[in-house]
Amino acid sequence: MMADLGQEIGWDDEIENEGADFEPLPEGTYEFEVRTMQRGRFPGSDKMCACNTAELTLVIVGNDGKEHQVFESLKLNSKMEWLLSQFFLCIGQKKKGEALRPNWNAVPGSRGMAEITVNEYKDKNGNLKKNNRVSKYLAPEPKQFKAGVF
C-alpha cells in the first residue's frame, strides 16, 4: 500500500474540505498492517517507570472499504512484556514458547490480526470522544493439513 502523503497547499490557495466526523470501526476482529513505527519515551507514572515506547500506526480496511488508523503505544517495560510477546507472535516474528530479540526495523509493513474495541474518553476540552484500541493481538492460526487436500 502506498501512503497518501497529501499535497502542499499554497498560502493563497482556496481551502474547502472540512473533514468528516470521525466514526470508529465497529468492535470486532480485523487484519491490520503496521503503517509506521516511531521510537519514543514514556516519562513514567505512578504505575510504571520511564521506558522506551514504540508508537505504532495500524491501518485497517473496514467493511466500508475505507482505511482506518488505530494508534497504539507499546511500552518496553517488564510489566508489559506479555503485550510485546503477544504483538510479536501476532506479526510472526516470535514463536510460542521461545525467547525473541525483536527486529524493530521489520515492524513497519508487518501484518497481523487483532481484536479492536471502541474506547470512550474525554478530550482536553471535556468533550466525550471515541476511538479504536487494540484489546488483543491474535497469534496466527496454525495451518491445518489434511491428507489429499491441496
Side-chain angles (χ1 to χ4, degrees):
M1 274 189 277
M2 188 72 177
D4 177 11
L5 302 178
Q7 297 178 347
E8 183 177 16
I9 296 174
W11 293 108
D12 297 320
D13 289 354
E14 285 185 349
I15 57 172
E16 181 179 353
N17 184 351
E18 296 172 3
D21 288 334
F22 173 75
E23 192 61 39
L25 288 164
E27 293 190 352
T29 301
Y30 294 91
E31 182 177 356
F32 68 85
E33 177 185 346
V34 179
R35 179 67 50 85
T36 63
M37 185 198 90
Q38 302 246 326
R39 294 173 189 241
R41 274 305 278 170
F42 174 67
S45 69
D46 56 348
K47 296 181 182 176
M48 190 180 303
C49 70
C51 60
N52 291 321
T53 63
E55 304 295 336
L56 306 177
T57 302
L58 309 179
V59 174
I60 297 169
V61 177
N63 295 334
D64 56 5
K66 296 178 183 172
E67 284 189 353
H68 299 261
Q69 292 185 343
V70 176
F71 302 100
E72 284 295 312
S73 179
L74 298 177
K75 291 175 179 54
L76 281 68
N77 181 292
S78 58
K79 289 180 73 171
M80 302 304 292
E81 188 173 351
W82 65 271
L83 183 61
L84 293 167
S85 285
Q86 195 181 84
F87 175 75
F88 282 101
L89 276 166
C90 171
I91 65 170
Q93 273 197 40
K94 186 176 187 319
K95 290 185 175 37
K96 194 148 183 70
E98 294 181 12
L100 171 76
R101 187 175 311 273
N103 179 353
W104 292 100
N105 292 330
V107 169
S110 58
R111 295 176 173 272
M113 296 288 287
E115 290 179 7
I116 302 295
T117 61
V118 176
N119 175 53
E120 290 189 357
Y121 65 98
K122 287 190 178 176
D123 68 11
K124 62 185 177 190
N125 298 321
N127 300 313
L128 188 62
K129 300 282 190 170
K130 293 180 182 179
N131 65 5
N132 288 119
R133 299 302 310 228
V134 173
S135 63
K136 185 176 185 180
Y137 292 101
L138 304 173
E141 294 290 324
K143 295 201 178 352
Q144 300 291 327
F145 294 102
K146 293 183 183 172
V149 177
F150 299 98

